[in-house]
Amino acid sequence: MRFGTKTALADVAFHVAPGEIVALIGENGAGKTTLLRVVSGFLRPSAGDVLIDGVPVALRGPRAASARGVGMVHQHFLLIPELTVAENVVLGREPGAGPLLDLAAAAEEIRACAERFGLDVDPHARVADLGVAAQQRVELLKVLVRGARFLLLDEPTGLLPPAGVRDLFALMERLAGEGCGVALVTHRLREVFAVCTRATVLRHGHVVGDEMLAGTDQAKLARMMIGDDLVPEDTLADTPSGARETLLHVKDLTVAGRGERAAVERVSFEIASGEVVGLAGVAGSGQRELFDAIAGVRPAVHGSIRLAGTVLDDLGVAERRRAGLGYVPEDRLDDGLVGALTVEENLVLGASPERGFDSGPWLIRDRVRAEAAEVVTSHDVRPPDPELLACALSGGNQQKVLLAREMRAKPTVLLAAEPARGLDFRATASVHARLRHLATTGHGVLVSGTDLPELLEICDRILVMFSGRIAGEVLPGETDEEQIGLLMSGGGVA
Amino acid sequence: MSLLLDVVNGTLREATPLLLATLGGVLSERSGVINLALESYLLAGAFGAAVGALTTGSLVLGAALGLIAALLVALVHAVICTRTRADHVVAGVALNLLVDAATIAALVSIYHTKGASPPFGDGLMERLASAKLLGHAPATWLALLAVPTVAFLLARTKPGLRLRAVGENPACAESLGVSALRVRTLAVLGAGLLTGLGGVYLAFDVGSFSKHMASERGYLALACVVVGKWRPWTAAAAALSFALLIAIANQLQIEGWFPDEIPRMLPYVVTLVVLSGVVGRARPPAALGRPLAN
């Protein structure tokens, strides 16, 4: 399979047997998603075949693959938010006589399938009104009602809370028990060991390993993915310098939501120098709105925000940045970067004048070039071409550029939403190290995320959000995932 | 009493082409094709109907030629909007200018006049009068019948679901084996058929074709689509309300009590108010105006 001028997959052999759960792992851009898209008919290989039941099949489109029992659940759901669950699921194979659409029959079919697999969904709900986990169940139903025998899951766990991940794994095991073959793409090695029997490792479009998990361990898989024995250093020296002082002070912050209810309700907390504070919560608990409100992107209804003595309440986004706030938003391409600008242009966007990239209205090309050249090397942006358009980079590499821009401004406090989303093993470790480093040099960091082990690893303390409020505060050493999971879903008191 | 009846009849007369074009606009836009070319479908329908009736002496053949002319224009429009990456707004406006000029050129070459075709003869006019049902042209009743039909088509049929899906996310529809190209082409042709019938009505109502005869009804229909938030019932309600305002304006012009410009202006004022978002936010289909990935 060739992709543009660069080969995305070369001479790849990958197989899934009925009843087997196979992990497909590799670094960002290794070709995992591309491979799944080929197998499910979304992309056509320039050479090679896909064999189903031992017979080579020409998959002329996703529908052909689906007719042969191959179904894919995409990382970015392929759903139509405006339509109902039933309409989304039956589209393309609608029940009903002649041209008539029998929605009652559709709902019944979905209910039966949902019941059989323990997927709780209301067929008449509008998909736009559902949460991320429920939307994923709709994607699964779409594939299951079509009688998939091979299920391809592209990073399905990224947005799920711990309980959701457990349910998904139970479903995968059940399907495997019924004779389905399952392929799972994930960046989280412990998930591979939790649910898979075998792992295929991709590196730069080549298969570099195919291991039964019984005979291997995480470190060995990690080395295969990266390609050398250099497993990255986890963290840098971890002693905060100087006395602690409160850098960010948020008091009684309330932010309006979409409906009647506030998205963020009377939230108060502080962040001191040298601290990495985590913000845990199920996706959509108000993390995004809270971050936006602190950054000044979204108005606050009530409350006050102070940054190292400066009251931010009446300041605009640019003034808050000048006061020392850095922000890595959740949606990197919509809110974080300008896709139609080059990497180097993105890197100096919004930079303060002190950093010397401009002089009056003019950009100083040499300085911009030097900055970009350094970033692509030190942050391992691939391909390392500062003149590439940001939208041409893979998701993980876009994230690296965005993080680099915000971190290099040396903000007093950095807000980072899902900083490691879509990043591979090595890049994640590097981001974690950088966040810790920022804290040890006297800055404050607020990190949100749905991956609890990640937060437990890098944070000094974790605030848990539920339904717009802070449901509790926990210390990583003293709390385990279960307790945090409980707080995230509105139960328990810390 | 007779005044009220005049206004009702006037409303139905004004509403016929407007309703048909509005429903055509709903079909086309819900599939993702911005339809500024409704004006050209109306003109083509009216022109074809007048020329057809005048040359063959038959109303049925005239109506058929009107529909064919409108369908041809819609076909060109569909090809531009689905097979190329052309901007839908530019394509629509260009088509309007082209068809307007083409009808004038054709008037010159067929009837050696720039303004209008010759009027229908007494025979044709008599047959038009006798074709009326309960005092209104068949097209008027068809237009009223088209409202529930289009609503049912969109909500309760397989093609309707596919049309809505393509208007929201063509890539998703494609992945389930629905051809977005086909759906959009058929939706635009459907718009051509409905709106073309509106054009036929325009010519038959007057008994001739005159240049610019659609007089911006196509644009007003698009405003109805937006005011009606892309839904058939509400868009039709908007079309009927606008038709009522125009009928009142026409009556005022006859009676001379009050400047008729004010009710004539109101549809546009309403449209602007709705567009500004004061009265609830209208959300267009997510893939409206976005070209298909080929």
Side-chain angles (χ1 to χ4, degrees):
Chain A
M1 175 71 217
R2 287 173 66 79
F3 218 51
T5 54
K6 158 175 150 273
T7 304
L9 290 175
D11 205 15
V12 164
F14 174 66
H15 66 278
V16 182
E20 195 182 25
I21 305 180
V22 183
L24 189 58
I25 55 178
E27 292 190 281
N28 291 134
K32 304 175 299 278
T33 301
T34 308
L35 178 53
L36 292 194
R37 288 171 62 84
V38 169
V39 178
S40 55
F42 283 87
L43 291 173
R44 259 172 264 183
S46 37
D49 291 305
V50 176
L51 283 76
I52 297 175
D53 299 327
V55 183
V57 285
L59 298 175
R60 284 193 304 171
R63 198 181 200 186
S66 152
R68 292 184 166 81
V70 178
M72 177 164 174
V73 172
H74 297 259
Q75 186 184 1
H76 305 287
F77 303 144
L78 215 43
L79 293 173
I80 301 175
E82 279 306 305
L83 302 187
T84 66
V85 170
E87 289 173 332
N88 266 286
V89 172
V90 300
L91 182 61
R93 53 180 291 288
E94 306 86 350
L100 297 181
L101 175 65
D102 190 344
L103 280 174
E108 199 36 57
E109 183 188 8
I110 290 158
R111 220 172 261 132
C113 185
E115 209 160 288
R116 187 172 152 225
F117 293 106
L119 295 165
D120 173 33
V121 179
D122 171 12
H124 298 298
R126 227 167 49 112
V127 167
D129 299 331
L130 299 177
V132 187
Q135 292 195 1
Q136 187 181 65
R137 290 198 289 274
V138 179
E139 275 271 88
L140 282 165
L141 276 173
K142 238 169 88 175
V143 172
L144 292 174
V145 296
R146 286 172 170 74
R149 293 183 293 134
F150 293 98
L151 194 60
L152 314 177
L153 304 167
D154 192 7
E155 293 197 38
T157 56
L159 296 167
L160 296 179
V165 174
R166 261 199 313 274
D167 291 347
L168 179 67
F169 286 178
L171 176 68
M172 286 163 60
E173 278 163 352
R174 174 173 174 172
L175 287 168
E178 292 180 9
C180 277
V182 182
L184 171 73
V185 166
T186 179
H187 283 306
R188 301 176 186 170
L189 282 178
R190 59 176 190 287
E191 292 181 350
V192 172
F193 282 87
V195 73
C196 302
T197 46
R198 190 161 59 82
T200 300
V201 187
L202 279 176
R203 189 168 73 230
H204 306 312
H206 295 267
V207 171
V208 294
D210 194 356
E211 300 277 320
M212 293 307 291
L213 290 172
T216 186
D217 58 37
Q218 292 202 18
K220 192 170 167 209
L221 286 185
R223 275 196 299 276
M224 278 186 185
M225 283 161 60
I226 296 169
D228 50 44
D229 283 346
L230 274 177
V231 174
E233 298 279 316
D234 250 352
T235 43
L236 299 176
D238 195 12
T239 39
S241 56
R244 295 213 162 195
E245 49 172 326
T246 301
L247 294 180
L248 182 70
H249 188 100
V250 173
K251 192 156 182 293
D252 277 343
L253 190 67
T254 298
V255 183
R258 269 204 293 179
E260 296 278 299
R261 254 193 47 233
V264 175
E265 222 178 332
R266 304 189 79 82
V267 162
S268 303
F269 63 91
E270 292 181 354
I271 292 177
S273 58
E275 243 189 342
V276 177
V277 177
L279 190 65
V282 179
S285 299
Q287 303 97 317
R288 185 192 184 134
E289 290 81 1
L290 175 62
F291 274 37
D292 280 357
I294 299 174
V297 180
R298 192 184 291 255
V301 177
H302 178 79
S304 83
I305 305 163
R306 264 186 298 143
L307 180 71
T310 316
V311 177
L312 298 186
D313 301 349
D314 297 323
L315 301 184
V317 179
E319 292 158 319
R320 291 184 195 210
R321 287 180 74 87
R322 225 168 292 138
L325 199 65
Y327 183 27
V328 176
E330 195 174 300
D331 200 333
R332 52 196 166 223
L333 201 50
D334 272 358
D335 302 336
L337 297 176
V338 182
L341 294 186
T342 63
V343 169
E344 60 180 22
E345 285 165 338
N346 269 291
L347 280 170
V348 298
L349 209 58
S352 72
E354 292 86 65
R355 295 182 65 200
F357 297 132
D358 53 1
S359 154
W362 314 110
L363 278 177
I364 303 174
R365 292 300 303 247
D366 292 347
R367 298 239 178 100
V368 175
R369 286 256 159 83
E371 166 78 3
E374 197 188 324
V375 166
V376 295
T377 331
S378 66
H379 286 252
D380 192 27
V381 176
R382 280 183 247 175
D385 177 2
E387 291 186 34
L388 216 56
L389 294 184
C391 59
L393 296 179
S394 76
N397 284 298
Q398 289 171 358
Q399 184 76 348
K400 290 178 192 170
V401 171
L402 176 55
L403 279 160
R405 181 182 78 204
E406 295 303 311
M407 287 196 194
R408 290 176 71 84
K410 300 242 175 345
T412 312
V413 169
L414 177 69
L415 310 173
E418 304 270 2
R421 174 185 289 175
L423 292 184
D424 59 48
F425 189 75
R426 176 156 45 180
T428 302
S430 146
V431 166
H432 289 170
R434 282 173 205 277
L435 290 175
R436 294 264 12 139
H437 182 71
L438 201 62
T440 51
T441 49
H443 305 260
V445 181
L446 180 62
V447 188
S448 78
T450 47
D451 186 15
L452 284 184
E454 176 189 358
L455 291 181
L456 286 167
E457 190 185 315
I458 61 168
C459 297
D460 298 302
R461 63 198 166 89
I462 297 175
L463 305 169
V464 185
M465 275 193 100
F466 171 70
S467 187
R469 293 166 183 269
I470 303 266
E473 181 179 331
V474 297
L475 298 174
E478 300 166 10
T479 324
D480 61 16
E481 278 184 53
E482 287 298 317
Q483 283 170 281
I484 302 179
L486 208 59
L487 283 172
M488 281 166 63
S489 52
V493 183
Chain B
M1 203 53 220
S2 89
L3 186 66
L4 186 66
L5 203 67
D6 283 348
V7 170
V8 170
N9 286 335
T11 303
L12 284 173
R13 270 183 74 181
E14 284 300 328
T16 303
L18 196 57
L19 260 181
L20 287 164
T22 298
L23 292 167
V26 168
L27 275 188
S28 161
E29 299 235 327
R30 285 297 285 270
S31 81
V33 178
I34 300 177
N35 207 326
L36 259 98
L38 295 171
E39 184 83 357
S40 67
Y41 304 174
L42 282 172
L43 266 180
F47 181 79
V51 173
L54 283 168
T55 37
T56 64
S58 153
L59 289 179
V60 175
L61 287 178
L65 193 68
L67 293 181
I68 289 169
L71 278 173
L72 280 176
V73 173
L75 184 65
V76 172
H77 190 209
V79 168
I80 296 170
C81 288
T82 58
R83 304 233 175 211
T84 74
R85 304 186 63 81
D87 184 283
H88 291 184
V89 172
V90 175
V93 171
L95 213 53
N96 288 344
L97 296 172
L98 179 73
V99 172
D100 191 49
T103 53
I104 296 172
L107 278 179
V108 173
S109 72
I110 302 174
Y111 304 111
H112 312 290
T113 135
K114 268 188 184 172
S117 73
F120 288 6
D122 290 342
L124 275 176
M125 289 313 279
E126 267 166 39
R127 260 172 288 155
L128 276 172
S130 63
K132 286 190 174 175
L133 293 166
L134 302 170
H136 288 283
T140 304
W141 300 114
L142 285 174
L144 291 173
L145 196 66
V147 181
T149 309
V150 169
F152 184 82
L153 175 82
L154 283 178
R156 306 300 298 273
T157 70
K158 296 173 191 180
L161 172 61
R162 291 172 178 208
L163 188 149
R164 285 182 287 138
V166 168
E168 293 289 334
N169 186 346
C172 179
E174 288 275 359
S175 81
L176 297 168
V178 175
S179 162
L181 183 82
R182 225 181 98 152
V183 168
R184 281 192 175 178
T185 304
L186 287 174
V188 172
L189 287 178
L193 194 67
L194 285 168
T195 314
L197 182 61
V200 171
Y201 175 85
L202 284 177
F204 283 4
D205 190 44
V206 184
S208 73
F209 175 85
S210 52
K211 66 175 179 183
H212 315 314
M213 151 165 243
S215 49
E216 276 82 52
R217 283 184 181 87
Y219 294 102
L220 194 58
L222 198 64
C224 293
V225 174
V226 176
V227 170
K229 302 188 177 181
W230 289 270
R231 291 190 216 119
W233 284 106
T234 39
L240 279 172
S241 322
F242 288 2
L244 174 66
L245 288 169
I246 296 168
I248 291 172
N250 290 344
Q251 208 60 40
L252 285 174
Q253 205 170 9
I254 296 167
E255 310 283 348
W257 297 331
F258 188 74
D260 60 294
E261 284 80 5
I262 290 178
R264 250 183 244 291
M265 235 163 52
L266 278 176
Y268 302 98
V269 175
V270 170
T271 307
L272 285 175
V273 169
V274 169
L275 280 178
S276 70
V278 182
V279 202
R281 202 166 45 97
R283 203 201 63 90
L288 183 59
R290 276 204 258 140
L292 301 172
N294 286 317

